[in-house]
PDB file of all heavy atoms in Angstrom:
ATOM      1  N   TYR A   1     -11.105   1.670  11.737  1.00 97.00           N
ATOM      2  CA  TYR A   1     -11.846   1.031  10.650  1.00 97.00           C
ATOM      3  C   TYR A   1     -10.943   0.090   9.847  1.00 97.00           C
ATOM      4  O   TYR A   1      -9.740  -0.003  10.087  1.00 97.00           O
ATOM      5  CB  TYR A   1     -12.456   2.095   9.731  1.00 97.00           C
ATOM      6  CG  TYR A   1     -13.528   2.903  10.400  1.00 97.00           C
ATOM      7  CD1 TYR A   1     -13.277   4.217  10.820  1.00 97.00           C
ATOM      8  CD2 TYR A   1     -14.794   2.371  10.627  1.00 97.00           C
ATOM      9  CE1 TYR A   1     -14.264   4.964  11.445  1.00 97.00           C
ATOM     10  CE2 TYR A   1     -15.784   3.108  11.258  1.00 97.00           C
ATOM     11  CZ  TYR A   1     -15.512   4.407  11.663  1.00 97.00           C
ATOM     12  OH  TYR A   1     -16.493   5.145  12.288  1.00 97.00           O
ATOM     13  N   THR A   2     -11.554  -0.592   8.866  1.00 97.00           N
ATOM     14  CA  THR A   2     -10.834  -1.570   8.048  1.00 97.00           C
ATOM     15  C   THR A   2     -10.693  -1.077   6.622  1.00 97.00           C
ATOM     16  O   THR A   2     -11.673  -0.676   5.994  1.00 97.00           O
ATOM     17  CB  THR A   2     -11.569  -2.924   8.044  1.00 97.00           C
ATOM     18  OG1 THR A   2     -11.651  -3.427   9.389  1.00 97.00           O
ATOM     19  CG2 THR A   2     -10.837  -3.944   7.170  1.00 97.00           C
ATOM     20  N   TRP A   3      -9.460  -1.121   6.139  1.00 97.00           N
ATOM     21  CA  TRP A   3      -9.146  -0.775   4.745  1.00 97.00           C
ATOM     22  C   TRP A   3      -8.970  -2.089   3.996  1.00 97.00           C
ATOM     23  O   TRP A   3      -8.076  -2.866   4.288  1.00 97.00           O
ATOM     24  CB  TRP A   3      -7.860   0.043   4.699  1.00 97.00           C
ATOM     25  CG  TRP A   3      -7.437   0.527   3.343  1.00 97.00           C
ATOM     26  CD1 TRP A   3      -7.102  -0.232   2.261  1.00 97.00           C
ATOM     27  CD2 TRP A   3      -7.262   1.895   2.943  1.00 97.00           C
ATOM     28  NE1 TRP A   3      -6.747   0.564   1.206  1.00 97.00           N
ATOM     29  CE2 TRP A   3      -6.828   1.878   1.587  1.00 97.00           C
ATOM     30  CE3 TRP A   3      -7.417   3.115   3.581  1.00 97.00           C
ATOM     31  CZ2 TRP A   3      -6.550   3.050   0.889  1.00 97.00           C
ATOM     32  CZ3 TRP A   3      -7.156   4.277   2.880  1.00 97.00           C
ATOM     33  CH2 TRP A   3      -6.721   4.243   1.555  1.00 97.00           C
ATOM     34  N   THR A   4      -9.837  -2.369   3.022  1.00 96.00           N
ATOM     35  CA  THR A   4      -9.786  -3.613   2.258  1.00 96.00           C
ATOM     36  C   THR A   4      -9.346  -3.322   0.835  1.00 96.00           C
ATOM     37  O   THR A   4      -9.977  -2.513   0.143  1.00 96.00           O
ATOM     38  CB  THR A   4     -11.153  -4.310   2.248  1.00 96.00           C
ATOM     39  OG1 THR A   4     -11.564  -4.584   3.596  1.00 96.00           O
ATOM     40  CG2 THR A   4     -11.083  -5.622   1.476  1.00 96.00           C
ATOM     41  N   CYS A   5      -8.276  -3.982   0.410  1.00 96.00           N
ATOM     42  CA  CYS A   5      -7.777  -3.825  -0.955  1.00 96.00           C
ATOM     43  C   CYS A   5      -8.075  -5.098  -1.737  1.00 96.00           C
ATOM     44  O   CYS A   5      -7.654  -6.191  -1.338  1.00 96.00           O
ATOM     45  CB  CYS A   5      -6.275  -3.547  -0.951  1.00 96.00           C
ATOM     46  SG  CYS A   5      -5.558  -3.405  -2.605  1.00 96.00           S
ATOM     47  N   THR A   6      -8.783  -4.966  -2.846  1.00 94.00           N
ATOM     48  CA  THR A   6      -9.202  -6.127  -3.634  1.00 94.00           C
ATOM     49  C   THR A   6      -8.461  -6.220  -4.960  1.00 94.00           C
ATOM     50  O   THR A   6      -8.892  -6.919  -5.868  1.00 94.00           O
ATOM     51  CB  THR A   6     -10.710  -6.066  -3.911  1.00 94.00           C
ATOM     52  OG1 THR A   6     -10.998  -4.856  -4.633  1.00 94.00           O
ATOM     53  CG2 THR A   6     -11.510  -6.089  -2.613  1.00 94.00           C
ATOM     54  N   GLY A   7      -7.327  -5.509  -5.093  1.00 92.00           N
ATOM     55  CA  GLY A   7      -6.574  -5.514  -6.338  1.00 92.00           C
ATOM     56  C   GLY A   7      -6.050  -6.890  -6.691  1.00 92.00           C
ATOM     57  O   GLY A   7      -5.883  -7.760  -5.829  1.00 92.00           O
ATOM     58  N   THR A   8      -5.758  -7.099  -7.976  1.00 91.00           N
ATOM     59  CA  THR A   8      -5.316  -8.419  -8.455  1.00 91.00           C
ATOM     60  C   THR A   8      -3.910  -8.408  -9.031  1.00 91.00           C
ATOM     61  O   THR A   8      -3.432  -9.441  -9.498  1.00 91.00           O
ATOM     62  CB  THR A   8      -6.288  -8.938  -9.533  1.00 91.00           C
ATOM     63  OG1 THR A   8      -6.360  -7.986 -10.606  1.00 91.00           O
ATOM     64  CG2 THR A   8      -7.685  -9.139  -8.953  1.00 91.00           C
ATOM     65  N   ASP A   9      -3.226  -7.261  -9.011  1.00 91.00           N
ATOM     66  CA  ASP A   9      -1.871  -7.167  -9.540  1.00 91.00           C
ATOM     67  C   ASP A   9      -0.880  -7.662  -8.498  1.00 91.00           C
ATOM     68  O   ASP A   9      -0.705  -7.057  -7.442  1.00 91.00           O
ATOM     69  CB  ASP A   9      -1.560  -5.719  -9.915  1.00 91.00           C
ATOM     70  CG  ASP A   9      -0.183  -5.567 -10.562  1.00 91.00           C
ATOM     71  OD1 ASP A   9       0.537  -6.584 -10.676  1.00 91.00           O
ATOM     72  OD2 ASP A   9       0.164  -4.433 -10.943  1.00 91.00           O
ATOM     73  N   ALA A  10      -0.218  -8.781  -8.799  1.00 89.00           N
ATOM     74  CA  ALA A  10       0.714  -9.386  -7.834  1.00 89.00           C
ATOM     75  C   ALA A  10       1.932  -8.511  -7.585  1.00 89.00           C
ATOM     76  O   ALA A  10       2.650  -8.716  -6.597  1.00 89.00           O
ATOM     77  CB  ALA A  10       1.166 -10.758  -8.336  1.00 89.00           C
ATOM     78  N   ASN A  11       2.196  -7.544  -8.457  1.00 89.00           N
ATOM     79  CA  ASN A  11       3.354  -6.670  -8.315  1.00 89.00           C
ATOM     80  C   ASN A  11       3.003  -5.323  -7.705  1.00 89.00           C
ATOM     81  O   ASN A  11       3.790  -4.383  -7.760  1.00 89.00           O
ATOM     82  CB  ASN A  11       4.018  -6.454  -9.678  1.00 89.00           C
ATOM     83  CG  ASN A  11       4.548  -7.737 -10.278  1.00 89.00           C
ATOM     84  OD1 ASN A  11       5.223  -8.506  -9.598  1.00 89.00           O
ATOM     85  ND2 ASN A  11       4.232  -7.979 -11.546  1.00 89.00           N
ATOM     86  N   SER A  12       1.827  -5.227  -7.119  1.00 93.00           N
ATOM     87  CA  SER A  12       1.387  -3.970  -6.525  1.00 93.00           C
ATOM     88  C   SER A  12       0.933  -4.215  -5.097  1.00 93.00           C
ATOM     89  O   SER A  12       0.928  -5.348  -4.607  1.00 93.00           O
ATOM     90  CB  SER A  12       0.269  -3.350  -7.362  1.00 93.00           C
ATOM     91  OG  SER A  12       0.043  -2.019  -6.976  1.00 93.00           O
ATOM     92  N   ALA A  13       0.566  -3.145  -4.402  1.00 96.00           N
ATOM     93  CA  ALA A  13       0.253  -3.248  -2.979  1.00 96.00           C
ATOM     94  C   ALA A  13      -0.890  -2.322  -2.614  1.00 96.00           C
ATOM     95  O   ALA A  13      -1.267  -1.419  -3.376  1.00 96.00           O
ATOM     96  CB  ALA A  13       1.485  -2.905  -2.149  1.00 96.00           C
ATOM     97  N   ALA A  14      -1.433  -2.548  -1.431  1.00 97.00           N
ATOM     98  CA  ALA A  14      -2.463  -1.647  -0.921  1.00 97.00           C
ATOM     99  C   ALA A  14      -1.894  -0.250  -0.710  1.00 97.00           C
ATOM    100  O   ALA A  14      -2.535   0.754  -1.016  1.00 97.00           O
ATOM    101  CB  ALA A  14      -3.031  -2.195   0.390  1.00 97.00           C
ATOM    102  N   PHE A  15      -0.641  -0.182  -0.192  1.00 97.00           N
ATOM    103  CA  PHE A  15       0.020   1.100   0.066  1.00 97.00           C
ATOM    104  C   PHE A  15       1.413   1.073  -0.545  1.00 97.00           C
ATOM    105  O   PHE A  15       2.183   0.138  -0.307  1.00 97.00           O
ATOM    106  CB  PHE A  15       0.103   1.369   1.574  1.00 97.00           C
ATOM    107  CG  PHE A  15      -1.237   1.466   2.240  1.00 97.00           C
ATOM    108  CD1 PHE A  15      -1.811   0.350   2.841  1.00 97.00           C
ATOM    109  CD2 PHE A  15      -1.939   2.664   2.252  1.00 97.00           C
ATOM    110  CE1 PHE A  15      -3.046   0.428   3.446  1.00 97.00           C
ATOM    111  CE2 PHE A  15      -3.183   2.751   2.849  1.00 97.00           C
ATOM    112  CZ  PHE A  15      -3.744   1.630   3.451  1.00 97.00           C
ATOM    113  N   GLU A  16       1.738   2.100  -1.338  1.00 96.00           N
ATOM    114  CA  GLU A  16       3.015   2.109  -2.053  1.00 96.00           C
ATOM    115  C   GLU A  16       3.705   3.465  -1.972  1.00 96.00           C
ATOM    116  O   GLU A  16       3.051   4.507  -1.982  1.00 96.00           O
ATOM    117  CB  GLU A  16       2.808   1.781  -3.541  1.00 96.00           C
ATOM    118  CG  GLU A  16       2.515   0.343  -3.839  1.00 96.00           C
ATOM    119  CD  GLU A  16       2.541   0.052  -5.342  1.00 96.00           C
ATOM    120  OE1 GLU A  16       3.119   0.881  -6.098  1.00 96.00           O
ATOM    121  OE2 GLU A  16       1.988  -0.981  -5.746  1.00 96.00           O
ATOM    122  N   ILE A  17       5.028   3.425  -1.915  1.00 94.00           N
ATOM    123  CA  ILE A  17       5.851   4.601  -2.153  1.00 94.00           C
ATOM    124  C   ILE A  17       6.008   4.759  -3.666  1.00 94.00           C
ATOM    125  O   ILE A  17       6.279   3.782  -4.363  1.00 94.00           O
ATOM    126  CB  ILE A  17       7.235   4.449  -1.497  1.00 94.00           C
ATOM    127  CG1 ILE A  17       7.101   4.333   0.030  1.00 94.00           C
ATOM    128  CG2 ILE A  17       8.153   5.596  -1.898  1.00 94.00           C
ATOM    129  CD1 ILE A  17       6.637   5.599   0.716  1.00 94.00           C
ATOM    130  N   ASN A  18       5.850   5.971  -4.174  1.00 92.00           N
ATOM    131  CA  ASN A  18       6.046   6.171  -5.618  1.00 92.00           C
ATOM    132  C   ASN A  18       6.906   7.395  -5.930  1.00 92.00           C
ATOM    133  O   ASN A  18       6.889   7.897  -7.051  1.00 92.00           O
ATOM    134  CB  ASN A  18       4.709   6.248  -6.356  1.00 92.00           C
ATOM    135  CG  ASN A  18       3.895   7.472  -5.984  1.00 92.00           C
ATOM    136  OD1 ASN A  18       4.016   7.990  -4.882  1.00 92.00           O
ATOM    137  ND2 ASN A  18       3.052   7.930  -6.892  1.00 92.00           N
ATOM    138  N   TYR A  19       7.673   7.856  -4.924  1.00 92.00           N
ATOM    139  CA  TYR A  19       8.647   8.927  -5.132  1.00 92.00           C
ATOM    140  C   TYR A  19       9.839   8.687  -4.201  1.00 92.00           C
ATOM    141  O   TYR A  19       9.677   8.068  -3.138  1.00 92.00           O
ATOM    142  CB  TYR A  19       8.049  10.306  -4.814  1.00 92.00           C
ATOM    143  CG  TYR A  19       7.263  10.909  -5.946  1.00 92.00           C
ATOM    144  CD1 TYR A  19       5.904  10.634  -6.080  1.00 92.00           C
ATOM    145  CD2 TYR A  19       7.860  11.747  -6.871  1.00 92.00           C
ATOM    146  CE1 TYR A  19       5.163  11.190  -7.116  1.00 92.00           C
ATOM    147  CE2 TYR A  19       7.134  12.305  -7.916  1.00 92.00           C
ATOM    148  CZ  TYR A  19       5.786  12.022  -8.028  1.00 92.00           C
ATOM    149  OH  TYR A  19       5.060  12.561  -9.063  1.00 92.00           O
ATOM    150  N   PRO A  20      11.035   9.169  -4.551  1.00 92.00           N
ATOM    151  CA  PRO A  20      12.148   9.132  -3.603  1.00 92.00           C
ATOM    152  C   PRO A  20      11.932  10.166  -2.496  1.00 92.00           C
ATOM    153  O   PRO A  20      11.146  11.105  -2.644  1.00 92.00           O
ATOM    154  CB  PRO A  20      13.362   9.493  -4.471  1.00 92.00           C
ATOM    155  CG  PRO A  20      12.787  10.306  -5.588  1.00 92.00           C
ATOM    156  CD  PRO A  20      11.422   9.742  -5.850  1.00 92.00           C
ATOM    157  N   ASP A  21      12.616   9.968  -1.371  1.00 94.00           N
ATOM    158  CA  ASP A  21      12.552  10.903  -0.241  1.00 94.00           C
ATOM    159  C   ASP A  21      11.115  11.096   0.254  1.00 94.00           C
ATOM    160  O   ASP A  21      10.741  12.189   0.694  1.00 94.00           O
ATOM    161  CB  ASP A  21      13.151  12.258  -0.630  1.00 94.00           C
ATOM    162  CG  ASP A  21      14.557  12.134  -1.177  1.00 94.00           C
ATOM    163  OD1 ASP A  21      15.441  11.622  -0.435  1.00 94.00           O
ATOM    164  OD2 ASP A  21      14.782  12.514  -2.340  1.00 94.00           O
ATOM    165  N   ALA A  22      10.324  10.045   0.158  1.00 94.00           N
ATOM    166  CA  ALA A  22       8.915  10.121   0.546  1.00 94.00           C
ATOM    167  C   ALA A  22       8.660   9.297   1.798  1.00 94.00           C
ATOM    168  O   ALA A  22       9.444   8.415   2.156  1.00 94.00           O
ATOM    169  CB  ALA A  22       8.026   9.631  -0.594  1.00 94.00           C
ATOM    170  N   SER A  23       7.535   9.585   2.462  1.00 96.00           N
ATOM    171  CA  SER A  23       7.132   8.777   3.615  1.00 96.00           C
ATOM    172  C   SER A  23       5.626   8.592   3.601  1.00 96.00           C
ATOM    173  O   SER A  23       4.880   9.498   3.240  1.00 96.00           O
ATOM    174  CB  SER A  23       7.563   9.438   4.924  1.00 96.00           C
ATOM    175  OG  SER A  23       6.840  10.630   5.156  1.00 96.00           O
ATOM    176  N   LEU A  24       5.222   7.388   3.983  1.00 97.00           N
ATOM    177  CA  LEU A  24       3.805   7.050   4.061  1.00 97.00           C
ATOM    178  C   LEU A  24       3.574   6.266   5.335  1.00 97.00           C
ATOM    179  O   LEU A  24       4.192   5.217   5.553  1.00 97.00           O
ATOM    180  CB  LEU A  24       3.386   6.218   2.839  1.00 97.00           C
ATOM    181  CG  LEU A  24       1.971   5.623   2.836  1.00 97.00           C
ATOM    182  CD1 LEU A  24       0.925   6.704   3.003  1.00 97.00           C
ATOM    183  CD2 LEU A  24       1.729   4.839   1.550  1.00 97.00           C
ATOM    184  N   THR A  25       2.716   6.790   6.198  1.00 98.00           N
ATOM    185  CA  THR A  25       2.391   6.149   7.472  1.00 98.00           C
ATOM    186  C   THR A  25       0.922   5.774   7.500  1.00 98.00           C
ATOM    187  O   THR A  25       0.052   6.602   7.188  1.00 98.00           O
ATOM    188  CB  THR A  25       2.690   7.088   8.653  1.00 98.00           C
ATOM    189  OG1 THR A  25       4.086   7.391   8.678  1.00 98.00           O
ATOM    190  CG2 THR A  25       2.298   6.445   9.974  1.00 98.00           C
ATOM    191  N   VAL A  26       0.636   4.518   7.859  1.00 98.00           N
ATOM    192  CA  VAL A  26      -0.724   4.024   8.028  1.00 98.00           C
ATOM    193  C   VAL A  26      -0.860   3.581   9.480  1.00 98.00           C
ATOM    194  O   VAL A  26      -0.018   2.825   9.976  1.00 98.00           O
ATOM    195  CB  VAL A  26      -1.017   2.851   7.074  1.00 98.00           C
ATOM    196  CG1 VAL A  26      -2.455   2.385   7.226  1.00 98.00           C
ATOM    197  CG2 VAL A  26      -0.733   3.240   5.626  1.00 98.00           C
ATOM    198  N   LYS A  27      -1.922   4.024  10.175  1.00 98.00           N
ATOM    199  CA  LYS A  27      -1.994   3.728  11.601  1.00 98.00           C
ATOM    200  C   LYS A  27      -3.435   3.501  12.071  1.00 98.00           C
ATOM    201  O   LYS A  27      -4.405   3.892  11.417  1.00 98.00           O
ATOM    202  CB  LYS A  27      -1.366   4.853  12.413  1.00 98.00           C
ATOM    203  CG  LYS A  27      -2.051   6.203  12.285  1.00 98.00           C
ATOM    204  CD  LYS A  27      -1.317   7.268  13.098  1.00 98.00           C
ATOM    205  CE  LYS A  27      -2.040   8.604  13.075  1.00 98.00           C
ATOM    206  NZ  LYS A  27      -1.341   9.621  13.898  1.00 98.00           N
ATOM    207  N   ASN A  28      -3.531   2.791  13.211  1.00 98.00           N
ATOM    208  CA  ASN A  28      -4.760   2.688  14.003  1.00 98.00           C
ATOM    209  C   ASN A  28      -5.935   2.013  13.300  1.00 98.00           C
ATOM    210  O   ASN A  28      -7.007   2.585  13.132  1.00 98.00           O
ATOM    211  CB  ASN A  28      -5.221   4.080  14.483  1.00 98.00           C
ATOM    212  CG  ASN A  28      -4.165   4.808  15.262  1.00 98.00           C
ATOM    213  OD1 ASN A  28      -3.335   4.187  15.927  1.00 98.00           O
ATOM    214  ND2 ASN A  28      -4.165   6.135  15.188  1.00 98.00           N
ATOM    215  N   GLY A  29      -5.734   0.766  12.856  1.00 98.00           N
ATOM    216  CA  GLY A  29      -6.851   0.050  12.261  1.00 98.00           C
ATOM    217  C   GLY A  29      -6.418  -1.245  11.621  1.00 98.00           C
ATOM    218  O   GLY A  29      -5.357  -1.794  11.941  1.00 98.00           O
ATOM    219  N   LYS A  30      -7.244  -1.762  10.703  1.00 98.00           N
ATOM    220  CA  LYS A  30      -6.966  -3.031  10.032  1.00 98.00           C
ATOM    221  C   LYS A  30      -6.778  -2.809   8.535  1.00 98.00           C
ATOM    222  O   LYS A  30      -7.424  -1.950   7.941  1.00 98.00           O
ATOM    223  CB  LYS A  30      -8.114  -4.029  10.257  1.00 98.00           C
ATOM    224  CG  LYS A  30      -8.273  -4.517  11.680  1.00 98.00           C
ATOM    225  CD  LYS A  30      -9.379  -5.563  11.765  1.00 98.00           C
ATOM    226  CE  LYS A  30      -9.509  -6.109  13.179  1.00 98.00           C
ATOM    227  NZ  LYS A  30     -10.572  -7.147  13.275  1.00 98.00           N
ATOM    228  N   VAL A  31      -5.899  -3.630   7.959  1.00 98.00           N
ATOM    229  CA  VAL A  31      -5.708  -3.653   6.516  1.00 98.00           C
ATOM    230  C   VAL A  31      -5.849  -5.101   6.058  1.00 98.00           C
ATOM    231  O   VAL A  31      -5.156  -5.987   6.572  1.00 98.00           O
ATOM    232  CB  VAL A  31      -4.332  -3.114   6.097  1.00 98.00           C
ATOM    233  CG1 VAL A  31      -4.161  -3.224   4.582  1.00 98.00           C
ATOM    234  CG2 VAL A  31      -4.157  -1.665   6.547  1.00 98.00           C
ATOM    235  N   VAL A  32      -6.745  -5.329   5.118  1.00 97.00           N
ATOM    236  CA  VAL A  32      -6.951  -6.657   4.546  1.00 97.00           C
ATOM    237  C   VAL A  32      -6.725  -6.529   3.049  1.00 97.00           C
ATOM    238  O   VAL A  32      -7.383  -5.731   2.380  1.00 97.00           O
ATOM    239  CB  VAL A  32      -8.370  -7.188   4.827  1.00 97.00           C
ATOM    240  CG1 VAL A  32      -8.560  -8.552   4.183  1.00 97.00           C
ATOM    241  CG2 VAL A  32      -8.626  -7.251   6.327  1.00 97.00           C
ATOM    242  N   SER A  33      -5.784  -7.315   2.502  1.00 97.00           N
ATOM    243  CA  SER A  33      -5.409  -7.120   1.110  1.00 97.00           C
ATOM    244  C   SER A  33      -5.248  -8.443   0.374  1.00 97.00           C
ATOM    245  O   SER A  33      -4.767  -9.425   0.934  1.00 97.00           O
ATOM    246  CB  SER A  33      -4.101  -6.324   1.020  1.00 97.00           C
ATOM    247  OG  SER A  33      -3.738  -6.103  -0.327  1.00 97.00           O
ATOM    248  N   SER A  34      -5.633  -8.432  -0.903  1.00 96.00           N
ATOM    249  CA  SER A  34      -5.356  -9.564  -1.780  1.00 96.00           C
ATOM    250  C   SER A  34      -4.035  -9.358  -2.513  1.00 96.00           C
ATOM    251  O   SER A  34      -3.552 -10.269  -3.190  1.00 96.00           O
ATOM    252  CB  SER A  34      -6.494  -9.725  -2.801  1.00 96.00           C
ATOM    253  OG  SER A  34      -6.720  -8.513  -3.495  1.00 96.00           O
ATOM    254  N   GLN A  35      -3.467  -8.164  -2.404  1.00 95.00           N
ATOM    255  CA  GLN A  35      -2.139  -7.855  -2.928  1.00 95.00           C
ATOM    256  C   GLN A  35      -1.164  -7.751  -1.751  1.00 95.00           C
ATOM    257  O   GLN A  35      -1.494  -8.108  -0.625  1.00 95.00           O
ATOM    258  CB  GLN A  35      -2.163  -6.523  -3.682  1.00 95.00           C
ATOM    259  CG  GLN A  35      -3.100  -6.491  -4.877  1.00 95.00           C
ATOM    260  CD  GLN A  35      -3.172  -5.109  -5.483  1.00 95.00           C
ATOM    261  OE1 GLN A  35      -3.573  -4.155  -4.831  1.00 95.00           O
ATOM    262  NE2 GLN A  35      -2.780  -4.990  -6.740  1.00 95.00           N
ATOM    263  N   LEU A  36       0.039  -7.250  -2.023  1.00 96.00           N
ATOM    264  CA  LEU A  36       0.945  -6.904  -0.938  1.00 96.00           C
ATOM    265  C   LEU A  36       0.290  -5.874  -0.033  1.00 96.00           C
ATOM    266  O   LEU A  36      -0.580  -5.112  -0.458  1.00 96.00           O
ATOM    267  CB  LEU A  36       2.250  -6.320  -1.500  1.00 96.00           C
ATOM    268  CG  LEU A  36       3.047  -7.167  -2.501  1.00 96.00           C
ATOM    269  CD1 LEU A  36       4.219  -6.350  -3.046  1.00 96.00           C
ATOM    270  CD2 LEU A  36       3.523  -8.444  -1.863  1.00 96.00           C
ATOM    271  N   ILE A  37       0.727  -5.826   1.220  1.00 97.00           N
ATOM    272  CA  ILE A  37       0.268  -4.775   2.117  1.00 97.00           C
ATOM    273  C   ILE A  37       0.989  -3.471   1.799  1.00 97.00           C
ATOM    274  O   ILE A  37       0.384  -2.410   1.684  1.00 97.00           O
ATOM    275  CB  ILE A  37       0.505  -5.171   3.586  1.00 97.00           C
ATOM    276  CG1 ILE A  37      -0.303  -6.426   3.940  1.00 97.00           C
ATOM    277  CG2 ILE A  37       0.152  -4.019   4.521  1.00 97.00           C
ATOM    278  CD1 ILE A  37      -1.792  -6.235   3.894  1.00 97.00           C
ATOM    279  N   GLY A  38       2.330  -3.552   1.688  1.00 96.00           N
ATOM    280  CA  GLY A  38       3.120  -2.364   1.423  1.00 96.00           C
ATOM    281  C   GLY A  38       4.242  -2.652   0.437  1.00 96.00           C
ATOM    282  O   GLY A  38       4.739  -3.779   0.348  1.00 96.00           O
ATOM    283  N   LEU A  39       4.671  -1.615  -0.301  1.00 92.00           N
ATOM    284  CA  LEU A  39       5.696  -1.801  -1.317  1.00 92.00           C
ATOM    285  C   LEU A  39       6.482  -0.509  -1.522  1.00 92.00           C
ATOM    286  O   LEU A  39       5.895   0.572  -1.631  1.00 92.00           O
ATOM    287  CB  LEU A  39       5.046  -2.216  -2.643  1.00 92.00           C
ATOM    288  CG  LEU A  39       5.958  -2.377  -3.861  1.00 92.00           C
ATOM    289  CD1 LEU A  39       6.973  -3.495  -3.643  1.00 92.00           C
ATOM    290  CD2 LEU A  39       5.131  -2.651  -5.120  1.00 92.00           C
ATOM    291  N   ILE A  40       7.830  -0.637  -1.543  1.00 92.00           N
ATOM    292  CA  ILE A  40       8.699   0.443  -2.021  1.00 92.00           C
ATOM    293  C   ILE A  40       9.382  -0.098  -3.268  1.00 92.00           C
ATOM    294  O   ILE A  40      10.409  -0.778  -3.189  1.00 92.00           O
ATOM    295  CB  ILE A  40       9.742   0.862  -0.970  1.00 92.00           C
ATOM    296  CG1 ILE A  40       9.074   1.198   0.363  1.00 92.00           C
ATOM    297  CG2 ILE A  40      10.535   2.073  -1.485  1.00 92.00           C
ATOM    298  CD1 ILE A  40      10.043   1.606   1.460  1.00 92.00           C
ATOM    299  N   PRO A  41       8.837   0.174  -4.445  1.00 90.00           N
ATOM    300  CA  PRO A  41       9.377  -0.393  -5.686  1.00 90.00           C
ATOM    301  C   PRO A  41      10.428   0.533  -6.277  1.00 90.00           C
ATOM    302  O   PRO A  41      10.848   1.517  -5.657  1.00 90.00           O
ATOM    303  CB  PRO A  41       8.145  -0.444  -6.575  1.00 90.00           C
ATOM    304  CG  PRO A  41       7.373   0.782  -6.165  1.00 90.00           C
ATOM    305  CD  PRO A  41       7.622   0.964  -4.683  1.00 90.00           C
ATOM    306  N   SER A  42      10.873   0.233  -7.468  1.00 80.00           N
ATOM    307  CA  SER A  42      11.560   1.203  -8.312  1.00 80.00           C
ATOM    308  C   SER A  42      10.800   1.231  -9.618  1.00 80.00           C
ATOM    309  O   SER A  42      10.008   0.331  -9.908  1.00 80.00           O
ATOM    310  CB  SER A  42      13.030   0.825  -8.525  1.00 80.00           C
ATOM    311  OG  SER A  42      13.124  -0.434  -9.172  1.00 80.00           O
ATOM    312  N   ALA A  43      11.020   2.278 -10.397  1.00 70.00           N
ATOM    313  CA  ALA A  43      10.277   2.403 -11.644  1.00 70.00           C
ATOM    314  C   ALA A  43      10.643   1.279 -12.590  1.00 70.00           C
ATOM    315  O   ALA A  43      11.670   0.609 -12.429  1.00 70.00           O
ATOM    316  CB  ALA A  43      10.554   3.750 -12.286  1.00 70.00           C
ATOM    317  N   SER A  44       9.804   1.076 -13.591  1.00 60.00           N
ATOM    318  CA  SER A  44       9.990  -0.023 -14.531  1.00 60.00           C
ATOM    319  C   SER A  44      11.400  -0.017 -15.115  1.00 60.00           C
ATOM    320  O   SER A  44      11.889   1.002 -15.591  1.00 60.00           O
ATOM    321  CB  SER A  44       8.963   0.103 -15.664  1.00 60.00           C
ATOM    322  OG  SER A  44       9.121  -0.935 -16.596  1.00 60.00           O
TER     323      SER A  44
END
């Protein structure tokens, strides 16, 4: 299936890491985003 992200924050993403020592896997489909697709940020 298709995951569509319609967010408007240029500093954010459809999929984000928000903890250290974490992992996030997205598989087998489509991602359509108006933001970043993926992001590993640091806190403010």
Side-chain angles (χ1 to χ4, degrees):
Y1 293 105
T2 300
W3 183 298
T4 301
C5 178
T6 60
T8 57
D9 184 358
N11 298 312
S12 193
F15 298 94
E16 286 189 18
I17 297 291
N18 66 332
Y19 277 88
D21 306 301
S23 68
L24 173 57
T25 298
V26 182
K27 63 182 184 178
N28 304 330
K30 292 184 177 181
V31 177
V32 178
S33 181
S34 54
Q35 299 174 299
L36 303 174
I37 298 295
L39 176 63
I40 307 179
S42 61
S44 180

